[in-house]
Amino acid sequence: MISFSLHGVGVSSGIAIGQAHLVSNALLEVVHYQLPPALIEDEVKRFSNAIAIVKNDLEQIHASLKHSAPAELGSFIGTHLMMLSDKSLSEVPKDIIRNEQCNAEWAIKLQMDDIVEQFEQIEDEYLRERKQDVIQVVERVIKVLLGHPSQLAIQQQSSAIQERKVILVAHDISPADAIQFKQHQFAAFINEVGGVTSHTAILARSLNIPSIVALQRARDLINDGELIIVDGNQGVVIVNPDKSILTEYKLRQEQWELEQQKLQRIKLTKAVTIDGANIELLANIEVPEDVAAVKASGATGIGLYRTEFLFMNRREMPDEEEQFLAYKAVAEAMKGAEVTIRTLDLGADKQMNPDSIVTCANPALGLRAVRLCLSEPQLFNTQLRALLRASHYGKVNILIPMLSTLGELRQTKLLLERAKLSLSNENIPFDPHIALGGMIEVPAAAINAEAFAKELDFLSIGTNDLIQYTLAIDRTDDTVAHLYNPLHPSVLKLISMTIKAGEKFGKPVSVCGEMAGDSKLTKLLIGMGLRQFSMHPSHVLSVKQQVLHSEMRVLNAHARKILSYTDLDKIEPLVAKFNLH
Ligand code: PEP
Ligand code: MG
């Protein structure tokens, strides 16, 4: 058997060794055939039945979700149910069957292609990726139409699975399928598509199992039952490893697991460097339910609450009261610890309604985030009032995404002052000293960071977008994922400029992009002067461990050296060496 390795994007850490289980892609099995007019209505009925079966299936899975299941799971399945109820999926294919006199599988696939094309035009990266949800739902319907079980076939083999480690190799794994993975204790999963912010990636992190995405053609290259190693830390899959590699990885796996156990011991330890510098380790959340994970992680506050989730998968915008209750719940639950809430970071599809998708030529460069909010002052005002009201119940900070000009900041401040005035006039309490911060995620803002530091209370570096815009690499495009590198000298320079700007004006600076949770970069960032990190809760302890082994004096000198390099090939080995100190 030939041994070889495949490289993708590691989105959840850890090492797993097990047998590959290929998940079929029903979409590839769809064929097109014409039907005689007499059979058309039967075909429409067959289609309606399939929709009903999948709906029932998803509802059952949703109802069976335990409290311990990751909060995202419920909302993702809710999204799928909503999509299934939408006319575009439940009704339009019937018209296609009638008009084209074609089979149901073909009709729903045609309609899916159309919807996916519309999703691809969406400006907001997170929403754009939701096209995968449409594909996953349609795939489920097609499986039923084709006579496949609607749930994973492996369910029947569950007892066999429990005895050995199984690694799922899929084109894309749906959230509903992910529940079964949890039940069956799958060791890891691999996806052919997706990026760091795809649902699969978010789920894998919350389930705490290794995962690699963007492993193109994985299902062509890996055979069912083959022994594979998944190294989520490096984004590498080794197929049919030889004895020596297997022994090496078994050792690495044991070490990794031991380290994870040991990390629990530092949960309550303060994040302080050897020479006494305090480092703040905060968590990123998406929904109020994530607070439980924050508390379990040892994070001392919330450095980024992405409020977009409240606005998604619905036709009506959440009103002020609904937003207030969500923000207040988080503020109260954190009992006075910092809660930095980001204002809407949405794209062109502002209603979050699949029927009203707005298209534009360059979505990532379009009317998004603060630009969108400023163009819709009513929407912005509602959120600002809700945030101010919540500030009475805890330590709330407001964070503005995607700033690129001071004008945007000043306009935002004006709207914030107006919102404060209106609340005062209505005798509604709020924190009059609420801190206002800005995300530095556009190169223009990083280059001009001093001006922003002067006019804001704090800065937060969104490295996910900063890298995307600096290197001109779409963060969701797996064909260029290998070029997406946080250590690019230009990225490091922009981060350094931002940290220095904060130091100059005495304003706190944090990193809240994925870089903050990468423990291989902790020492470098500390050496560059960073004192606040905000990350997915599952990364807090590994980053804390790096902090506890850091010595400022050594790191500062080392970081200075790294920043003086202009060649990525020289920076990478130096950073690796850095971690040995
Ligand atoms: C970032 O861009 O780094 C960030 C934290 O924001 P998001 O990932 O939500 O765009
Ligand atoms: Mg961003």
Side-chain angles (χ1 to χ4, degrees):
M1 262 182 292
I2 308 165
S3 169
F4 60 94
S5 60
L6 300 170
H7 297 253
V9 180
V11 291
S12 185
S13 311
I15 294 170
I17 303 171
Q19 272 173 306
H21 178 91
L22 268 57
V23 180
S24 76
N25 184 356
L27 287 170
L28 296 178
E29 295 174 34
V30 172
V31 290
H32 177 201
Y33 53 90
Q34 295 258 271
L35 292 162
L39 295 182
I40 295 296
E41 283 315 306
D42 285 348
E43 191 66 2
V44 168
K45 227 180 257 165
R46 192 168 77 90
F47 171 78
S48 302
N49 279 345
I51 294 275
I53 289 171
V54 174
K55 232 182 187 168
N56 184 39
D57 221 25
L58 289 175
E59 273 162 3
Q60 275 188 12
I61 294 174
H62 200 254
S64 70
L65 271 185
K66 299 217 172 66
H67 284 307
S68 58
E72 297 93 339
L73 222 45
S75 76
F76 291 166
I77 292 167
T79 308
H80 284 193
L81 272 167
M82 200 199 80
M83 285 177 167
L84 210 54
S85 305
D86 197 274
K87 277 200 178 113
S88 62
L89 277 187
S90 60
E91 295 298 325
V92 176
K94 292 184 191 168
D95 298 338
I96 298 178
I97 296 172
R98 288 184 181 115
N99 297 338
E100 313 264 325
Q101 306 201 328
C102 66
N103 54 317
E105 296 90 339
W106 186 253
I108 193 167
K109 176 150 186 320
L110 273 188
Q111 176 62 3
M112 178 197 82
D113 290 343
D114 206 38
I115 299 172
V116 164
E117 207 181 302
Q118 294 177 46
F119 264 91
E120 273 162 3
Q121 312 290 332
I122 298 181
E123 177 186 341
D124 183 87
E125 172 262 326
Y126 179 88
L127 290 175
R128 197 165 55 246
E129 279 215 15
R130 300 293 69 85
K131 72 176 183 217
Q132 288 307 132
D133 291 297
V134 180
I135 297 172
Q136 287 167 354
V137 169
V138 170
E139 163 121 355
R140 243 182 144 82
V141 177
I142 290 176
K143 273 186 179 164
V144 172
L145 285 167
L146 291 172
H148 297 336
S150 61
Q151 305 200 337
L152 285 176
I154 35 183
Q155 221 182 5
Q156 274 97 53
Q157 317 163 5
S158 57
S159 58
I161 280 171
Q162 270 151 20
E163 275 146 41
R164 55 192 162 83
K165 300 266 184 197
V166 170
I167 293 168
L168 287 162
V169 183
H171 178 68
D172 190 19
I173 287 166
S174 77
D177 289 339
I179 292 173
Q180 293 167 274
F181 307 160
K182 198 172 159 70
Q183 282 164 1
H184 294 300
Q185 307 269 305
F186 288 96
F189 48 90
I190 294 172
N191 257 20
E192 292 183 324
V193 295
V196 182
T197 49
S198 64
H199 271 168
T200 311
I202 298 171
L203 278 171
R205 285 193 287 272
S206 62
L207 294 172
N208 219 357
I209 62 173
S211 177
I212 301 177
V213 300
L215 264 170
Q216 288 166 22
R217 297 184 52 231
R219 287 174 323 127
D220 292 339
L221 301 166
I222 302 172
N223 293 315
D224 226 359
E226 271 180 327
L227 184 67
I228 55 176
I229 298 172
V230 177
D231 183 346
N233 308 338
Q234 308 289 335
V236 176
V237 174
I238 302 168
V239 186
N240 294 321
D242 62 30
K243 250 190 174 161
S244 62
I245 302 257
L246 195 59
T247 313
E248 161 71 18
Y249 268 92
K250 278 188 175 156
L251 204 70
R252 283 196 203 180
Q253 189 185 27
E254 275 170 27
Q255 280 170 344
W256 168 263
E257 280 164 10
L258 209 68
E259 269 170 36
Q260 297 308 300
Q261 283 169 19
K262 273 204 227 154
L263 281 178
Q264 288 302 320
R265 294 189 205 148
I266 57 168
K267 200 175 128 180
L268 300 175
T269 311
K270 276 192 87 178
V272 180
T273 63
I274 293 169
D275 40 0
N278 279 315
I279 307 292
E280 245 181 291
L281 302 183
L282 307 161
N284 295 352
I285 67 163
E286 268 109 36
V287 288
E289 290 80 3
D290 289 341
V291 169
V294 175
K295 294 207 161 162
S297 74
T300 53
I302 291 168
L304 172 64
Y305 173 4
R306 293 177 162 107
T307 56
E308 301 81 73
F309 279 71
L310 195 59
F311 291 69
M312 283 174 193
N313 312 320
R314 53 193 294 168
R315 293 175 194 285
E316 303 286 324
M317 288 275 174
D319 62 12
E320 183 184 315
E321 191 63 17
E322 185 181 343
Q323 290 190 54
F324 161 65
L325 291 175
Y327 308 150
K328 174 175 171 255
V330 175
E332 281 183 335
M334 290 306 291
K335 299 186 184 339
E338 302 262 341
V339 177
T340 298
I341 308 182
R342 181 171 74 183
T343 58
L344 260 187
D345 192 6
L346 286 184
D349 181 18
K350 44 190 176 290
Q351 300 295 332
M352 300 303 97
N353 176 348
D355 298 340
S356 62
I357 291 164
V358 182
T359 59
C360 67
N362 285 303
L365 308 178
L367 190 66
R368 53 174 301 192
V370 70
R371 301 171 187 174
L372 172 70
C373 287
L374 289 172
S375 74
E376 302 256 352
Q378 197 55 45
L379 162 84
F380 206 8
N381 180 55
T382 303
Q383 187 173 36
L384 291 173
R385 276 178 56 103
L387 289 169
L388 284 166
R389 286 173 60 192
S391 70
H392 182 65
Y393 300 88
K395 176 74 190 89
V396 172
N397 309 315
I398 297 178
L399 180 61
I400 312 296
M402 291 282 298
L403 284 169
S404 54
T405 69
L406 285 176
E408 289 163 339
L409 171 57
R410 290 175 188 153
Q411 265 181 285
T412 302
K413 280 186 164 179
L414 207 67
L415 289 176
L416 186 62
E417 285 315 308
R418 276 193 204 153
K420 284 182 182 176
L421 198 67
S422 67
L423 289 175
S424 299
N425 289 340
E426 293 165 44
N427 286 325
I428 298 175
F430 63 90
D431 173 7
H433 306 296
I434 191 165
L436 181 68
M439 286 198 66
I440 304 296
E441 47 188 349
V442 177
I447 294 165
N448 203 17
E450 286 199 6
F452 285 99
K454 213 163 149 182
E455 299 198 18
L456 282 161
D457 298 314
F458 65 96
L459 304 178
S460 189
I461 309 174
T463 47
N464 304 341
D465 278 315
L466 187 61
I467 298 167
Q468 154 164 276
Y469 293 125
T470 306
L471 305 183
I473 290 166
D474 183 338
R475 63 191 254 199
T476 63
D477 184 346
D478 34 80
T479 59
V480 285
H482 60 291
L483 299 170
Y484 187 95
N485 196 326
L487 292 178
H488 190 291
S490 304
V491 172
L492 294 183
K493 284 193 175 73
L494 292 175
I495 294 174
S496 174
M497 284 168 78
T498 309
I499 295 172
K500 289 214 164 74
E503 281 169 3
K504 184 166 170 184
F505 291 92
K507 305 290 172 70
V509 177
S510 72
V511 167
C512 64
E514 294 295 310
M515 266 181 100
D518 185 346
S519 59
K520 294 188 292 302
L521 304 178
T522 309
K523 288 186 173 176
L524 170 64
L525 291 170
I526 292 178
M528 286 164 69
L530 193 75
R531 297 290 175 269
Q532 267 186 9
F533 295 66
S534 191
M535 67 204 83
H536 188 275
S538 65
H539 294 144
V540 172
L541 293 182
S542 56
V543 169
K544 192 191 279 187
Q545 195 184 36
Q546 293 298 311
V547 173
L548 298 177
H549 290 100
S550 295
E551 195 177 349
M552 219 49 113
R553 193 181 45 83
V554 180
L555 298 190
N556 289 152
H558 211 103
R560 259 200 306 279
K561 191 165 163 196
I562 288 175
L563 280 168
S564 72
Y565 281 68
T566 51
D567 185 347
L568 183 57
D569 292 343
K570 293 202 174 114
I571 293 175
E572 278 173 339
L574 256 189
V575 171
K577 216 170 117 194
F578 211 177
N579 288 322
L580 300 174
H581 288 277

